[in-house]
Amino acid sequence: MQLSYVGLGVADVPAWLSFATDVLGLTAEREADEARLRVDGKAWRIAVRPSPANDLVYAGIEVDGDRALIEARQRLEGGGVECLSLSVDELASRQVRSGFWFRDPDGLRLEVVHGLADAGTPFRSDIGAGFVTDDEGLGHIVLAVSDLDRAVAFYERVGFAISDFITAPVGPEMVLRIAFLHCNARHHSLALAPLPGGKRLNHLMLEMTGLDDVLRAHRRSVDRGFVTGGLGRHTNDRMLSFYATTPAGFDVECGFGGCKIEGKPEVREYDAISFWGHERS
């Protein structure tokens, strides 16, 4: 199972695409009503459409085959979650073989699919960037939730498992508890936290194939005037990364060298988000 794709609704599509291509190194193709971004050999991984929401619109979770798809639907419906099959038009739009959709406790549309199409050409970034995907999927997303315990239980039913928790001060008056969940060897494909601000998407993480890729992306982000934090290393997944605020107001994290999940990990508790760095501008 993997986080396969995301759909974003942003107010300024050209600005967001410029950030994605010129800073991060993704490639873009225009569709009729949205743009599609590639990070690897798949037909697409990120869809961007016009919307004043400046937020995540949907997320796609890919499973390995029709049997896994049926089992996921039965598990969700057995827990009282209403699931609806993707229409023929939706299957064509997502470029998947089969799938269904439902909503999480806070209303986010989630799609469980099988068979995301390959692209007709190899992925080649115009600025030479490379990204870690394959069986680990797109990267990870961090979602704001209204009830952390309820959200964790829900996503465990979807098929995620807890990696660890961080409970740490954020600013002078707030202590934040974050749950990190995995669905393959990536340390986490999903994190959940009771974040303020109204957006569901706090950030999207893309793991790059080399440390130099991260350093160059950081330099480009600074040079182009995006609000960009400092480099740092996280406590739980050991990722070396930085955060940049996109034109839609949520962040993209670019990282390298995250640790992998092996077997059934011991669920650990951390009291700091970073060993060092990650200072915000």
Side-chain angles (χ1 to χ4, degrees), residues 207-230:
E207 185 172 0
M208 307 188 88
T209 53
L211 177 57
D212 282 350
D213 285 337
V214 175
L215 298 178
R216 283 192 290 260
H218 185 267
R219 185 71 265 162
R220 289 190 296 267
S221 185
V222 172
D223 288 347
R224 286 163 173 77
F226 291 100
V227 177
T228 306

Side-chain angles (χ1 to χ4, degrees), residues 2 18 39 42 46 96 104 108 112 133 189 201 230:
Q2 61 176 258
S18 177
V39 303
K42 291 298 182 180
I46 301 172
V96 297
D104 80 354
L108 176 64
V112 178
T133 56
S189 296
L201 182 61

Side-chain angles (χ1 to χ4, degrees), residues 7-84:
L8 306 175
V10 306
D12 191 338
V13 172
W16 212 95
L17 295 182
S18 177
F19 171 83
T21 56
D22 298 340
V23 173
L24 304 180
L26 283 62
T27 63
E29 296 180 0
R30 287 281 189 173
E31 302 287 338
D33 58 348
E34 63 185 12
R36 296 287 176 94
L37 291 160
R38 291 180 58 192
V39 303
D40 61 4
K42 291 298 182 180
W44 68 286
R45 291 288 194 175
I46 301 172
V48 184
R49 65 176 61 170
S51 169
N54 281 322
D55 207 348
L56 183 65
V57 177
Y58 60 83
I61 300 161
E62 189 166 4
V63 296
D64 297 327
D66 289 328
R67 179 177 293 276
L69 195 70
I70 292 169
E71 290 173 351
R73 183 163 184 167
Q74 289 175 339
R75 188 169 61 246
L76 285 161
E77 291 180 333
V81 179
E82 181 183 13
C83 299
L84 299 171

Side-chain angles (χ1 to χ4, degrees), residues 180-201:
F180 297 83
L181 299 95
H182 65 272
C183 59
N184 51 54
R186 193 184 295 280
H187 175 272
H188 60 281
S189 296
L190 173 69
L192 307 167
L195 295 161
K199 288 186 187 294
R200 288 304 311 274
L201 182 61

Side-chain angles (χ1 to χ4, degrees), residues 48-261:
V48 184
R49 65 176 61 170
S51 169
N54 281 322
D55 207 348
L56 183 65
V57 177
Y58 60 83
I61 300 161
E62 189 166 4
V63 296
D64 297 327
D66 289 328
R67 179 177 293 276
L69 195 70
I70 292 169
E71 290 173 351
R73 183 163 184 167
Q74 289 175 339
R75 188 169 61 246
L76 285 161
E77 291 180 333
V81 179
E82 181 183 13
C83 299
L84 299 171
S85 297
L86 293 177
S87 68
V88 172
D89 288 344
E90 287 171 332
L91 292 172
S93 173
R94 302 294 193 262
Q95 296 179 257
V96 297
R97 296 176 194 166
S98 54
F100 64 92
W101 69 276
F102 55 99
R103 295 194 183 275
D104 80 354
D106 289 297
L108 176 64
R109 176 172 169 133
L110 300 169
E111 301 172 357
V112 178
V113 300
H114 165 54
L116 179 64
D118 292 328
T121 58
F123 173 74
R124 290 192 180 89
S125 169
D126 291 340
I127 53 179
F131 302 91
V132 177
T133 56
D134 296 325
D135 294 337
E136 297 180 15
L138 171 62
H140 76 234
I141 53 175
V142 177
L143 299 179
V145 298
S146 59
D147 184 318
L148 183 60
D149 292 338
R150 180 181 67 171
V152 168
F154 180 87
Y155 279 96
E156 286 183 306
R157 184 174 291 278
V158 174
F160 290 85
I162 298 171
S163 301
D164 44 48
F165 293 90
I166 295 178
T167 303
V170 179
E173 298 181 354
M174 180 179 179
V175 175
L176 187 66
R177 183 164 173 79
I178 313 169
F180 297 83
L181 299 95
H182 65 272
C183 59
N184 51 54
R186 193 184 295 280
H187 175 272
H188 60 281
S189 296
L190 173 69
L192 307 167
L195 295 161
K199 288 186 187 294
R200 288 304 311 274
L201 182 61
N202 175 264
H203 73 262
L204 163 69
M205 188 283 298
L206 301 175
E207 185 172 0
M208 307 188 88
T209 53
L211 177 57
D212 282 350
D213 285 337
V214 175
L215 298 178
R216 283 192 290 260
H218 185 267
R219 185 71 265 162
R220 289 190 296 267
S221 185
V222 172
D223 288 347
R224 286 163 173 77
F226 291 100
V227 177
T228 306
L231 293 159
R233 189 178 295 278
H234 286 304
T235 54
N236 58 346
D237 69 354
R238 307 302 198 268
M239 182 82 74
L240 192 149
S241 67
F242 73 92
Y243 296 83
T245 301
T246 75
F250 53 79
D251 285 357
V252 166
E253 179 186 10
C254 290
F256 169 73
C259 66
K260 306 300 181 186
I261 293 290

